[in-house]
Amino acid sequence: MNAIEIKNLTKSFRGMHALDHFHMTVPVGSIYGFIGENGSGKSTTEKLICGHLVPDEGEIKLFGKSYKDAGVRVRVGALIENAGCFPNSSVWNNLMMQAINLGIQNREEEISRVLKIVRMEDSAKIKFKSCSLGMKQRIGIAMALLGNPALLILDEPINGLDTDGMKIMREILVDITKNYNCTVLISSHLLGELEKIATHYGIIRQGKMIKEITAQEMEARARVFVSLKTKDINSALNLLNRKFNNVKQENECIRVYDVDNAELIVEYLLQNGLVVNEVKKNKIGLEEYYLEIMSEKEAK
């Protein structure tokens, strides 16, 4: 079963398409990285799934049922834009107000449960306004987790966080999917961070889904390359282009694609009088894969 299935979803604002016959499939238990440039339709999609907007046409199913189904709606938690907390109230009181609003039973136990998940058990008495950005994001996730949802929708939860904050957030999201049977849909511009946790990706452009791919499929397709630095880049480029099929300059480095033998390249350059200062093997990551797909679409 899929947590989310969207078909031919269309939404317009003032005659302009935000989504144009959009489709999406999010498997149960996945961390689905939702990627696209600003204005591509990510937030609109998330708001439609949550019922904050009404589609012009198309179908949204959650766990095999219409997203309008009351039994399905209570299985969805979301953090879109901000947590909507009262700044002068404590973390605990903000969560208590949300729990009351949701009609949750055993509210104190539930609040303790979600604070433990987001690693804020010791911060319950702190006023929301005194919390750091990373803490505020985690409070927002805690609020979205009240009621033990099966689907969590997060809009840019790691943007603006420092290194420690992003690490904690990654660990929390993986924990949610592995230990709490929750599917996560997460949008982010920080593709390097997303690549560390996502199991599936969806790439949206101008309101249309242009690519859905699993992390395993992307890993299998990722092109291997050897990256090297040398003082005489122009001479090295000329030499390497004679022997290898795909050689490109990337800033101060030279990349030789589809070659896994770095020693062969270094030896070849040394034989021709060029010293290699730095060499390493790598694969194309999510960010480069994304940019490559975008450039292909622009070319068409």
Side-chain angles (χ1 to χ4, degrees):
M1 180 185 290
N2 293 312
I4 303 172
E5 288 184 46
I6 295 175
K7 296 179 181 179
N8 295 318
L9 191 63
T10 299
K11 180 64 180 178
S12 299
F13 297 100
R14 298 178 182 177
M16 298 289 291
H17 276 122
L19 293 176
D20 185 8
H21 295 91
F22 176 82
H23 70 272
M24 171 187 273
T25 303
V26 178
V28 167
S30 64
I31 298 179
Y32 188 102
F34 196 23
I35 307 166
E37 57 200 357
N38 288 335
S40 60
K42 299 191 302 297
S43 294
T44 298
T45 302
E46 292 168 335
K47 289 175 182 177
L48 285 163
I49 294 170
C50 293
H52 299 169
L53 296 173
V54 178
D56 299 336
E57 59 179 290
E59 181 181 58
I60 304 172
K61 284 188 176 182
L62 304 178
F63 303 100
K65 296 183 178 180
S66 168
Y67 78 110
K68 297 179 182 178
D69 184 277
V72 166
R73 291 244 55 84
V74 298
R75 300 180 69 189
V76 180
L79 174 60
I80 298 177
E81 295 178 354
N82 57 65
C85 291
F86 294 95
N88 290 310
S89 293
S90 68
V91 172
W92 181 275
N93 286 340
N94 270 294
L95 287 166
M96 179 59 74
M97 284 184 276
Q98 179 68 351
I100 292 169
N101 185 48
L102 294 172
I104 291 173
Q105 303 297 317
N106 302 316
R107 290 187 284 269
E108 292 191 358
E109 292 179 15
E110 179 64 2
I111 292 169
S112 295
R113 184 185 76 88
V114 297
L115 283 174
K116 184 178 180 180
I117 293 173
V118 300
R119 306 179 184 184
M120 291 192 64
E121 309 99 300
D122 298 329
S123 304
K125 295 181 180 180
I126 299 174
K127 286 186 178 182
F128 183 77
K129 68 179 182 181
S130 300
C131 294
S132 66
L133 175 60
M135 292 171 70
K136 288 177 179 177
Q137 290 294 78
R138 282 188 276 155
I139 293 164
I141 290 177
M143 294 183 77
L145 287 171
L146 287 169
N148 197 25
L151 172 63
L152 189 62
I153 298 173
L154 304 174
D155 186 23
E156 309 282 1
I158 56 178
N159 287 16
L161 302 186
D162 59 22
T163 302
D164 289 340
M166 286 190 285
K167 180 177 181 293
I168 292 170
M169 188 66 76
R170 290 197 310 268
E171 292 171 351
I172 289 170
L173 295 179
V174 171
D175 183 42
I176 288 169
T177 56
K178 285 188 175 180
N179 299 317
Y180 296 92
N181 300 317
C182 189
T183 303
V184 177
L185 169 65
I186 172 175
S187 64
S188 178
H189 289 105
L190 302 176
L191 304 189
E193 290 298 311
L194 204 56
E195 189 174 12
K196 295 173 183 176
I197 58 171
T199 62
H200 295 72
Y201 302 101
I203 301 175
I204 183 174
R205 186 170 188 265
Q206 295 177 352
K208 293 185 177 183
M209 181 67 77
I210 61 172
K211 189 74 174 179
E212 285 190 299
I213 189 169
T214 68
Q216 287 181 335
E217 288 171 339
M218 196 188 76
E219 176 70 16
R221 293 185 185 188
R223 297 174 66 192
V224 176
F225 64 88
V226 173
S227 175
L228 61 92
K229 288 185 178 180
T230 182
K231 289 183 179 180
D232 193 346
I233 287 182
N234 290 331
S235 296
L237 280 169
N238 290 330
L239 283 167
L240 291 169
N241 276 313
R242 294 177 195 171
K243 188 174 180 67
F244 301 99
N245 294 326
N246 199 334
V247 181
K248 292 182 180 179
Q249 181 177 346
E250 297 282 344
N251 299 320
E252 297 179 354
C253 295
I254 295 174
R255 287 186 178 184
V256 184
Y257 288 91
D258 307 319
V259 176
D260 196 32
N261 192 337
E263 292 180 1
L264 176 67
I265 296 171
V266 173
E267 184 179 351
Y268 173 67
L269 291 175
L270 283 172
Q271 288 173 351
N272 287 275
L274 290 179
V275 176
V276 175
N277 300 322
E278 182 182 312
V279 63
K280 58 183 177 180
K281 292 188 288 186
N282 212 331
K283 281 187 176 183
I284 289 179
L286 176 60
E287 185 171 356
E288 289 185 79
Y289 181 77
Y290 167 76
L291 292 172
E292 188 177 287
I293 288 177
M294 288 300 187
S295 63
E296 286 175 0
K297 289 294 177 181
E298 288 177 2
K300 292 179 181 179

